[in-house]
C-alpha cells in the first residue's frame, strides 16, 4: 500500500506547484471543510449555517479546501470529540475571493523587515493564510502545500451570514474511505475522493497569498 501511494504522490508532486489552491468548485461556489463536535454540527445542519451559542463568532474559524488535509487534521473524524463531525461547506466564490483579497500571511514574510509593522498589518486584517504540507491517503506529508484560511471579525460574519450556500455532513464518507485504506483497497478509496482541481486566481492575488 505504501509504495503505491508513494508513486502516485511523486507523480502529483511533478505537476503541482509548491503552493496551489486545489478544491471542488463550480461557476458560483467552492467547497471548504470544517470539523466540529455534535452541538455545532447539529445546529449548522439544521439552520443551513453556523449559529450561536454553539458557534462562537468571536473566535477565528479555519476553513480548508483540501479534503485530505481536513482528514489529517481531524484524524478521519476520530481524533477527538470536538472534530468528530466532518462538514462540507459550499460558499460563494465571491466570498472566497474576498477572503483571499483581505488576507495576511500568518508568518512574517520577507516583505516586512520591521516586526512591529508586520504585527500592525496582521492585527488589522480579518483573514489569515497558512500553508501546510498536503497529505496523501495515508495522511503522510507531500512535497507541496495546502492552504488554510482563518476567518475572524468581519470575515466570520460574512462567512456565516452571506457566503455559505449549503452545508453537508460527510462524516460517513470519511469513515468509508478510511476503512478502505485500512483494508488496502487504495484504488477504491481514491475513487471516493472529492475531485479537486486548481482554483483560478489572478496573478496579483496569487502573488499576495503565496509570498514567502
Amino acid at each position: 500500500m505504501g509504495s503505491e501511494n508513494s508513486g502516485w504522490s511523486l507523480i502529483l508532486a511533478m505537476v503541482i506547484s509548491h503552493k496551489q489552491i486545489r478544491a471542488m468548485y463550480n461557476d458560483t461556489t467552492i467547497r471548504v471543510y470544517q470539523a466540529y463536535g455534535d452541538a455545532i454540527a447539529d445546529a449548522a445542519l439544521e439552520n443551513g449555517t453556523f449559529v450561536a451559542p454553539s458557534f462562537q463568532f468571536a473566535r477565528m474559524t479555519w476553513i480548508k479546501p483540501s479534503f485530505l488535509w481536513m482528514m489529517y487534521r481531524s484524524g478521519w473524524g476520530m481524533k477527538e470529540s470536538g472534530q468528530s463531525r466532518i462538514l462540507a461547506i459550499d460558499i460563494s466564490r465571491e466570498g472566497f475571493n474576498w477572503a483571499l483579497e483581505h488576507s495576511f500571511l500568518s508568518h512574517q514574510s520577507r516583505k516586512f523587515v520591521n516586526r512591529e509593522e508586520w504585527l500592525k498589518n496582521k492585527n488589522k486584517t480579518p483573514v489569515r493564510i497558512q500553508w501546510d504540507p498536503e497529505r496523501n491517503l495515508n495522511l503522510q506529508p507531500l512535497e507541496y502545500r495546502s492552504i488554510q484560511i482563518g476567518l475572524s471579525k468581519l470575515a466570520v460574519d460574512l462567512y456565516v451570514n452571506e457566503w455559505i450556500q449549503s452545508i453537508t455532513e460527510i462524516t460517513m464518507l470519511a469513515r468509508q474511505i478510511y476503512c478502505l485504506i485500512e483494508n488496502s483497497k487504495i484504488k477504491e478509496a481514491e475513487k471516493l475522493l472529492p475531485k479537486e482541481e486548481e482554483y483560478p486566481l489572478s496573478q496579483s492575488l496569487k502573488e499576495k497569498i503565496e509570498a514567502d
Side-chain angles (χ1 to χ4, degrees), residues 81-140:
S81 60
Q83 296 188 79
S84 62
R85 306 277 293 279
I86 313 296
L87 302 178
I89 303 108
D90 293 317
I91 67 175
S92 68
R93 285 181 57 171
E94 181 181 0
F96 185 78
N97 291 341
W98 185 97
L100 297 181
E101 289 165 358
H102 293 80
S103 68
F104 201 75
L105 294 174
S106 59
H107 68 277
Q108 185 174 347
S109 68
R110 286 176 289 186
K111 176 182 177 182
F112 292 93
V113 178
N114 186 297
R115 184 169 177 79
E116 289 186 4
E117 181 187 359
W118 172 70
L119 286 172
K120 181 180 179 180
N121 280 272
K122 180 180 178 181
N123 290 334
K124 70 180 183 182
T125 308
V127 181
R128 297 283 180 275
I129 295 295
Q130 185 169 309
W131 293 95
D132 297 289
E134 181 60 286
R135 302 285 160 163
N136 63 17
L137 276 172
N138 290 321
L139 305 186
Q140 296 303 305

Side-chain angles (χ1 to χ4, degrees), residues 36-46 50 54 85 87 167 169:
Y36 288 109
D38 289 337
I40 295 178
D42 286 340
L45 290 166
E46 180 180 352
F50 296 101
S54 58
R85 306 277 293 279
L87 302 178
I167 299 179
E169 181 167 8

Side-chain angles (χ1 to χ4, degrees), residues 116-195:
E116 289 186 4
E117 181 187 359
W118 172 70
L119 286 172
K120 181 180 179 180
N121 280 272
K122 180 180 178 181
N123 290 334
K124 70 180 183 182
T125 308
V127 181
R128 297 283 180 275
I129 295 295
Q130 185 169 309
W131 293 95
D132 297 289
E134 181 60 286
R135 302 285 160 163
N136 63 17
L137 276 172
N138 290 321
L139 305 186
Q140 296 303 305
L142 296 173
E143 294 297 320
Y144 50 92
R145 300 274 165 164
S146 178
I147 196 170
Q148 287 193 78
I149 303 167
L151 308 176
S152 68
K153 304 172 184 175
L154 173 61
V156 175
D157 291 333
L158 291 172
Y159 174 59
V160 169
N161 296 312
E162 297 185 19
W163 301 349
I164 293 178
Q165 306 299 302
S166 65
I167 299 179
T168 307
E169 181 167 8
I170 58 166
T171 306
M172 294 308 297
L173 172 64
R175 301 285 172 80
Q176 183 181 1
I177 294 173
Y178 172 76
C179 288
L180 289 170
I181 296 168
E182 287 294 286
N183 287 284
S184 300
K185 297 181 179 180
I186 302 304
K187 291 185 178 179
E188 290 92 332
E190 287 178 345
K191 290 178 181 178
L192 295 179
L193 290 176
K195 301 298 185 286

Side-chain angles (χ1 to χ4, degrees), residues 66-80:
S66 166
F67 175 84
L68 284 175
W69 208 95
M70 183 73 262
M71 296 306 104
Y72 164 73
R73 182 66 181 85
S74 66
W76 299 98
M78 296 180 284
K79 188 173 183 178
E80 57 185 68

